């Protein structure tokens, strides 16, 4: 089977910003604190410890106590592993730090990279513990319970078919009732079929979604079942006690709008890249069970978009004091909320997430909160042994399979052809032949020179057309082999996209059971920047 490896930068699936970040280009170094390496965590630990204890009017011990108490309450109704419960207790210790990833509450985890994010987080805590044994490191999954874009999370793909939960939602998804998922489950269960692993998946879905009343509790149960034995701690930050810890920053955002000013400045530095998110003047929502709407400041009055709610400065600051849970950070403010309430060292996310975090460094500096290390999550390609053998038989490397399909087909057709279908030598020979004509043309009038140039261009185009026709003819000749190549690529890259962005974990669990997750945990290396190619049965 192929043995080559593909780094993220050469895979063709990451943005120029992410490629330059991974290359540690000098123009980006002011936008992050420390690049992710085991050695760089030493200074990050020292800085975070000092900052967490004294960057606001609530000391670190008090914040730790609130965090641990909230987590104990959230875990009261599920069976957690000894490791997870111990990790929650350890959060009271000043030598305990967190490594965090966040993810939406996608139905049944959504695409595969949900697993890769969490495993990257778990595995990094293990590496840090080995490097810095005097400290403790707790993996955190931050559930995006306050998001309200239900259409982004109400489906998943299984064996190429989209399973969608048809339901209306306007408020934070974590509070959304799971009522109605029974009918969805019946359809999905039929597609799973029978067998030991199929029954495990069915039971997992039932216990997660049919036995819990809201999406936050369902997702917590699911993630705990998959990763609880690894000590994962799952946090729902939609909580009044945690928001009270963050109240100072909510007030500052309402009255000073520092995030908007600072992020706009940073965006100017990122002018050569696509901007991931643009800040609003106030980066907070007003939130209730069935409502999450932007807060707008107009004519000295705070208004809640699409409602009749209007508040003076005094009234809104009083509301923050008494009901901080009514204020929900958006994509700009959420990272700050995370870093204020957690003794966090590192955030692990996908390329899009790291891109918007890079917009935030100056904002964090302005409000005097330590900026975390930013680590791009692991990416992997899952292949069966049969697919790996097929690639080998077709003479394909993994790098070939990561190519755009049109490039892959052209390259493989050229390799299969018994003669060259590249007419570059003929074109060069033609250009040399025209050199003599150009010498003559330069000694006559411009009209003749133009005629020579036109004739050269015409004959070059003729060769290029012949080249295309020959390529097309050779594709027909080797059509069976080319079809096997494209079929294999389509299996591994569904919809011409990364597998991890399409397929649900249950597709692979169905064939491999829990060995599938065990193999991911054993294989993924969080600080490695190569795609892991993982062969399954």
């Amino acid at each position: 089977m192929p043995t080559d490896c593909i780094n993220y930068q050469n895979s063709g699936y990451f943005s120029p910003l992410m490629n330059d970040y991974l290359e540690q280009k000098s123009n980006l170094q002011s936008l992050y604190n420390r690049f992710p390496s085991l050695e760089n965590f030493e200074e990050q630990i020292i800085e975070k410890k000092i900052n967490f204890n004294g960057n606001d009017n609530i000391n670190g011990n008090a914040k730790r106590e609130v965090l641990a108490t909230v987590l104990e309450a959230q875990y009261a109704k599920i069976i957690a592993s000894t490791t997870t419960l111990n990790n929650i207790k350890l959060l009271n210790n000043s030598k305990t730090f967190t490594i965090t990833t966040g993810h939406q509450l996608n139905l049944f985890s959504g695409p595969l990279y949900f697993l890769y994010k969490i495993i990257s987080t778990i595995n990094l805590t293990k590496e840090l513990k080995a490097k810095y044994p005097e400290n403790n490191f707790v993996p955190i999954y931050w559930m995006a319970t306050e998001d309200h874009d239900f259409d982004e999370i109400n489906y998943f793909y299984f064996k190429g078919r989209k399973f969608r939960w048809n339901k209306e939602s306007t408020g934070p998804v974590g509070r959304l009732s799971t009522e109605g998922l029974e009918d969805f489950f019946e359809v999905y269960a039929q597609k799973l079929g029978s067998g030991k692993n199929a029954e495990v998946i069915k039971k997992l879905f039932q216990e997660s979604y049919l036995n819990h009343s809201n999406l936050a509790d369902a997702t917590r149960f699911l993630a705990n079942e998959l990763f609880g034995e690894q000590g994962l701690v799952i946090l729902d930050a939609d909580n009044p006690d945690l928001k009270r810890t963050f109240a100072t920053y909510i007030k500052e955002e309402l009255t000073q709008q520092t995030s908007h000013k600072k992020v706009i400045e940073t965006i100017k530095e990122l002018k050569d890249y696509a901007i991931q998110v643009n800040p609003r003047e106030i980066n907070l929502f007003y939130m209730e069970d069935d409502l999450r709407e932007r807060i707008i400041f107009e004519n000295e009055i705070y208004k809640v978009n699409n409602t009749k709610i209007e508040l003076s400065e005094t009234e809104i600051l009083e509301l923050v004091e008494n009901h901080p849970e009514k204020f929900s950070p958006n994509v700009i403010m959420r990272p700050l909320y995370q870093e204020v309430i957690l003794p966090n060292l590192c955030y692990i996310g996908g390329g899009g997430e790291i891109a918007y975090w890079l917009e935030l460094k100056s904002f964090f500096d302005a409000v005097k909160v330590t900026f975390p290390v930013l680590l791009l999550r692991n990416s992997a390609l899952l292949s069966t042994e049969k697919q790996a053998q097929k690639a080998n038989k077709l003479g394909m490397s993994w790098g070939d399979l990561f190519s755009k399909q049109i490039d892959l087909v052209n390259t493989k057709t050229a390799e299969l052809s018994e003669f060259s279908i590249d007419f570059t030598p003929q074109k060069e020979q033609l250009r040399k032949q025209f050199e003599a004509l150009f010498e003559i043309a330069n000694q006559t009038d411009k009209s003749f020179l133009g005629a020579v140039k036109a004739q050269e261009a015409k004959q070059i185009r003729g060769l290029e057309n012949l080249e295309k026709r020959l390529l097309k003819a050779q594709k027909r000749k080797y059509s069976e082999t080319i079809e096997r190549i494209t079929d294999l690529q389509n299996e591994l890259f569904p919809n011409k996209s990364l597998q991890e962005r399409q397929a649900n974990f249950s597709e692979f669990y169905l064939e491999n059971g829990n060995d599938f997750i065990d193999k991911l945990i054993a294989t993924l290396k969080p600080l490695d920047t190569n795609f892991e190619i993982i062969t399954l049965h």
Side-chain angles (χ1 to χ4, degrees):
M1 62 183 67
T3 57
D4 60 312
C5 62
I6 305 94
N7 67 23
Y8 298 152
Q9 300 96 304
N10 294 330
S11 69
Y13 283 95
F14 288 88
S15 69
L17 177 59
M18 277 306 91
N19 290 337
D20 287 354
Y21 175 65
L22 293 172
E23 296 287 348
Q24 302 181 59
K25 293 288 180 69
S26 59
N27 62 310
L28 296 177
Q29 288 177 3
S30 65
L31 305 183
Y32 57 90
N33 200 12
R34 295 178 179 89
F35 193 77
S37 70
L38 277 180
E39 293 70 28
N40 283 346
F41 276 96
E42 182 174 2
E43 290 184 358
Q44 189 74 17
I45 289 168
I46 294 168
E47 182 182 341
K48 184 65 180 184
K49 186 172 184 178
I50 294 168
N51 185 258
F52 194 70
N53 282 329
N55 67 328
D56 50 34
N57 59 359
I58 303 173
N59 69 48
N61 289 336
K63 285 193 288 189
R64 287 177 178 278
E65 187 177 342
V66 169
L67 177 62
T69 301
V70 167
L71 283 165
E72 285 167 0
Q74 291 182 355
Y75 271 84
K77 294 181 181 179
I78 65 173
I79 299 172
S81 70
T82 302
T83 310
T84 292
L85 294 176
N86 185 54
N87 277 343
I88 293 172
K89 287 186 175 68
L90 282 172
L91 288 169
N92 280 304
N93 188 319
S94 64
K95 289 189 174 183
T96 299
F97 300 91
T98 62
I99 304 298
T100 302
T101 193
H103 197 68
Q104 295 171 296
L105 305 191
N106 295 72
L107 186 60
F108 212 38
S109 80
L112 269 169
Y113 67 77
F114 170 78
L115 272 67
Y116 302 164
K117 274 184 167 183
I118 290 178
I119 293 170
S120 298
T121 305
I122 290 167
N123 284 351
L124 182 57
T125 62
K126 294 175 183 177
E127 290 193 31
L128 289 170
K129 184 62 178 176
K131 179 73 173 177
Y132 306 103
E134 68 277 12
N135 295 298
N136 307 303
F137 304 94
V138 174
I140 299 282
Y141 162 37
W142 179 292
M143 295 193 295
T145 53
E146 297 181 37
D147 281 4
H148 62 269
D149 197 341
F150 183 61
D151 288 340
E152 287 188 359
I153 67 167
N154 66 351
Y155 67 93
F156 61 86
Y157 287 94
F158 177 79
K159 294 189 174 182
R161 177 177 173 181
K162 186 176 184 178
F163 288 82
R164 185 173 181 271
W165 180 18
N166 295 304
K167 188 181 179 77
E168 295 296 320
S169 173
T170 54
V173 294
R175 303 181 191 181
L176 181 65
S177 169
T178 54
E179 186 179 357
L181 274 171
E182 295 86 354
D183 294 338
F184 176 97
F185 173 67
E186 289 301 320
V187 176
Y188 175 51
Q190 287 181 1
K191 187 69 173 178
L192 282 168
S194 58
K196 180 182 175 182
N197 292 337
E199 295 308 313
V200 171
I201 296 169
K202 291 174 190 176
K203 182 181 178 185
L204 181 60
F205 190 100
Q206 285 177 303
E207 291 184 342
S208 298
Y209 293 92
L210 307 189
N211 294 354
H212 291 90
S213 61
N214 63 59
L215 202 51
D217 290 345
T219 305
R220 182 187 295 108
F221 183 90
L222 173 64
N224 183 65
E225 285 294 298
L226 294 174
F227 298 109
E229 291 301 319
Q230 296 292 324
L232 181 69
V233 174
I234 303 151
L235 175 63
D236 178 1
D238 179 10
N239 178 277
D241 293 328
L242 294 176
K243 290 283 176 72
R244 197 163 288 113
T245 304
F246 189 57
T248 300
Y249 300 91
I250 296 175
K251 292 176 183 177
E252 197 272 347
E253 176 67 9
L254 290 168
T255 58
Q256 303 299 318
Q257 290 106 54
T258 306
S259 64
H260 179 263
K261 298 166 190 171
K262 291 298 178 181
V263 175
I264 286 294
E265 289 174 10
T266 301
I267 284 175
K268 292 175 183 176
E269 294 184 48
L270 288 165
K271 63 183 185 301
D272 296 330
Y273 303 97
I275 299 302
Q276 192 68 23
V277 294
N278 286 290
R280 299 192 181 275
E281 290 187 359
I282 294 177
N283 291 288
L284 293 167
F285 290 96
Y286 178 88
M287 186 170 71
E288 294 178 357
D289 284 350
D290 296 311
L291 176 72
R292 189 174 186 249
E293 286 285 355
R294 288 192 295 118
I295 298 171
I296 303 167
F297 187 59
E298 289 180 346
N299 302 320
E300 304 303 314
I301 295 293
Y302 294 90
K303 301 176 182 179
V304 178
N305 198 37
N306 295 322
T307 75
K308 295 181 180 179
I309 300 172
E310 294 188 358
L311 300 162
S312 67
E313 182 175 308
T314 301
E315 288 170 329
I316 201 166
L317 293 180
E318 185 177 329
L319 188 62
V320 175
E321 196 66 32
N322 297 324
H323 294 284
E325 70 277 5
K326 290 186 178 293
F327 296 85
S328 175
N330 74 353
V331 67
I332 296 291
M333 284 290 287
R334 190 212 65 81
L336 181 66
Y337 180 33
Q338 171 189 300
E339 296 303 311
V340 166
I341 68 172
L342 294 177
N344 195 51
L345 301 175
C346 174
Y347 183 76
I348 298 178
E353 290 175 281
I354 301 303
Y356 74 69
W357 273 88
L358 289 171
E359 297 178 31
L360 304 177
K361 175 67 162 54
S362 62
F363 170 43
F364 272 68
D365 290 345
V367 295
K368 297 180 172 59
V369 175
T370 294
F371 197 67
V373 171
L374 302 177
L375 177 60
L376 191 64
R377 64 166 173 82
N378 282 124
S379 283
L381 177 67
L382 307 179
S383 164
T384 64
E385 290 179 350
K386 185 177 179 181
Q387 287 169 330
Q389 289 167 1
K390 187 175 180 180
N392 194 53
K393 188 174 181 181
L394 289 167
M396 300 177 71
S397 67
W398 294 121
D400 290 334
L401 286 161
F402 273 83
S403 305
K404 290 182 180 179
Q405 192 159 100
I406 188 169
D407 295 334
L408 174 62
V409 169
N410 289 345
T411 299
K412 287 301 168 184
T413 301
E415 288 178 7
L416 290 165
S417 180
E418 64 272 24
F419 47 79
S420 175
I421 54 178
D422 178 5
F423 283 8
T424 299
Q426 287 84 353
K427 289 179 221 173
E428 286 302 314
Q429 187 177 355
L430 185 66
R431 289 189 179 96
K432 286 180 181 177
Q433 289 173 344
F434 268 87
E435 285 176 4
L437 287 173
F438 277 119
E439 287 181 14
I440 296 171
N442 283 324
Q443 298 173 33
T444 59
D445 58 46
K446 290 183 179 179
S447 63
F448 184 64
L449 180 62
V452 173
K453 285 182 178 179
Q455 189 61 224
E456 181 190 37
K458 181 180 178 180
Q459 293 194 34
I460 291 291
R461 282 198 304 274
L463 282 174
E464 287 172 346
N465 288 333
L466 288 173
E467 195 175 46
K468 289 174 184 176
R469 290 185 66 177
L470 180 57
L471 177 62
K472 191 174 181 180
Q474 291 299 88
K475 284 179 183 178
R476 286 196 299 269
K477 180 176 180 179
Y478 298 104
S479 60
E480 288 185 13
T481 302
I482 296 300
E483 185 177 0
R484 289 199 296 272
I485 288 170
T486 55
D487 284 349
L488 177 60
Q489 188 183 50
N490 290 337
E491 288 173 15
L492 294 170
F493 295 81
N495 294 324
K496 295 181 172 60
S497 178
L498 285 178
Q499 176 193 74
E500 63 189 39
R501 298 177 187 170
Q502 297 283 319
N504 182 260
F505 83 94
S506 58
E507 186 172 326
F508 301 91
Y509 195 102
L510 188 63
E511 300 298 326
N512 296 271
N514 210 55
D515 288 347
F516 163 57
I517 293 177
D518 290 342
K519 189 159 190 175
L520 292 181
I521 293 170
T523 306
L524 296 179
K525 302 175 183 65
L527 296 171
D528 191 2
T529 57
N530 288 322
F531 264 89
E532 288 290 347
I533 312 296
I534 300 175
T535 306
L536 304 170
H537 296 300

